[in-house]
Amino acid sequence: MVDSIGPNQSNKHRSNYAVISGEEEGAAKEQERLLPIANVGRIMKQILPPNAKISKEAKETMQECVSEFISFVTGEASDKCHREKRKTVNGDDICWALGSLGFDDYSDSLKRYLIRYRETEGERLANQNKAAAAETETASSPLHFSFDLMDKRRI
Amino acid sequence: MRQPGAYSNLLSGGKTGPHSLPLARIKKIMKKSGEDVKMISGEAPIVFSKACELFIEELTKRAWAMTLQRKTRTMHKEDVAAAVMETDIFDFLVGLVSHTPNPSAPLES
């Protein structure tokens, strides 16, 4: 960051003009590359016995590990897309990458998860498309529709 | 402060089951993983939210086994580190967990 105030001004004076300090900006960026500690902590807690305790540091370490996991798997999936000259990383690529990197158990249960998701998404989108198609059957009907409205307004 | 858990439940609409991890954040992390990662389909973060859950569950269970070896009920980061060391598929995490050693708590081998 360039100090445009003047050579004799102190850094303390400069921070009064900044929207956020360098420290706060660093902390915000840090949080962006991690999944929220509350969510991570909750998943950890759910798998452990009720009397288990988890230190804050352990949760923080887990946060870091998960982000690394996402990067690692995404990189593998992305390489595959690149080799196959595709631009978009999709769910199948993630499943494949997981299998390729040794996470076979995840890969199988996720494939089933993805199939279920696509079925329900497909239904949802099909219903949306049906509704949209009913309104705009041909190119001329939107115009037709708005003409009707205008006529009504004139009356 | 925003509650990510509630937000991701709203996003999912309950059809595919509530996502316990925020999809937008997952997408951000995916994008940061490399220059080549430009376009990500809508379903990819959803698959990841489930994959991350499975990952956290597995690493947590293994770390807990380390905690029990220390005859205590509080999991520390050293337990997570030890679990990483003894699991082949977690090799990619070795550098990450051995980054800042804690001098006050020796690693169990």
Side-chain angles (χ1 to χ4, degrees):
Chain A
M1 259 160 65
V2 177
D3 183 359
S4 58
I5 293 170
N8 296 324
Q9 299 296 331
S10 67
N11 284 341
K12 186 168 182 281
H13 184 61
R14 177 161 66 111
S15 70
N16 291 337
Y17 290 85
V19 176
I20 48 170
S21 70
E23 221 177 271
E24 286 165 346
E25 192 180 335
K29 282 215 170 92
E30 175 81 357
Q31 287 312 304
E32 271 183 14
R33 63 168 193 88
L34 300 173
L35 294 177
I37 197 167
N39 301 55
V40 172
R42 197 179 311 126
I43 297 170
M44 291 176 81
K45 198 163 185 275
Q46 280 169 358
I47 205 82
L48 293 176
N51 62 351
K53 288 184 169 53
I54 310 168
S55 77
K56 183 159 178 263
E57 275 188 337
K59 289 184 203 173
E60 286 169 346
T61 303
M62 187 62 74
Q63 276 181 297
E64 298 273 357
C65 289
V66 183
S67 288
E68 195 64 29
F69 172 70
I70 295 172
S71 294
F72 185 51
V73 175
T74 302
E76 185 80 356
S78 170
D79 284 349
K80 180 178 202 275
C81 289
H82 198 67
R83 284 194 301 271
E84 297 175 4
K85 297 189 176 18
R86 283 185 290 113
K87 286 185 185 160
T88 309
V89 178
N90 63 33
D92 287 321
D93 297 323
I94 304 299
C95 287
W96 177 86
L98 286 165
S100 164
L101 295 169
F103 298 95
D104 307 296
D105 300 335
Y106 303 9
S107 182
D108 293 337
S109 86
L110 284 168
K111 277 184 194 140
R112 289 193 294 271
Y113 185 74
L114 189 53
I115 288 170
R116 276 206 322 274
Y117 168 74
R118 282 175 175 162
E119 278 168 4
T120 55
E121 260 311 283
E123 273 171 28
R124 188 176 72 83
L125 290 171
N127 290 336
Q128 268 184 11
N129 286 342
K130 271 190 206 150
E135 274 183 29
T136 56
E137 195 85 47
T138 60
S140 59
S141 54
L143 286 170
H144 188 67
F145 184 67
S146 56
F147 280 155
D148 283 340
L149 270 179
M150 285 170 70
D151 288 341
K152 278 175 187 156
R153 271 193 227 118
R154 278 202 204 100
I155 294 165
Chain B
M1 198 174 140
R2 192 162 76 99
Q3 294 294 318
Y7 175 70
S8 53
N9 284 346
L10 284 172
L11 252 187
S12 71
K15 286 189 199 69
T16 51
H19 306 129
S20 50
L21 295 164
L23 302 177
R25 187 75 62 86
I26 291 175
K27 192 168 175 181
K28 255 192 201 146
I29 299 169
M30 287 178 74
K31 290 209 154 182
K32 282 195 180 156
S33 71
E35 275 303 303
D36 288 341
V37 187
K38 297 214 164 61
M39 301 207 53
I40 299 170
S41 85
E43 57 186 23
I46 287 170
V47 172
F48 253 126
S49 107
K50 196 73 192 158
C52 289
E53 236 183 88
L54 296 172
F55 171 81
I56 293 169
E57 285 173 356
E58 180 168 7
L59 184 49
T60 301
K61 278 191 278 196
R62 290 175 180 275
W64 183 246
M66 303 292 117
T67 309
L68 293 177
Q69 278 182 30
R70 290 189 298 109
K71 302 214 190 325
T72 173
R73 308 300 267 186
T74 304
M75 183 189 295
H76 288 296
K77 72 173 185 180
E78 289 73 26
D79 300 321
V80 180
V84 163
M85 295 305 180
E86 66 147 33
T87 313
D88 284 342
I89 55 170
F90 293 154
D91 275 353
F92 69 98
L93 295 169
V94 166
L96 187 64
V97 298
S98 51
H99 204 60
T100 45
N102 185 348
S104 62
L107 265 173
E108 294 286 315
S109 55

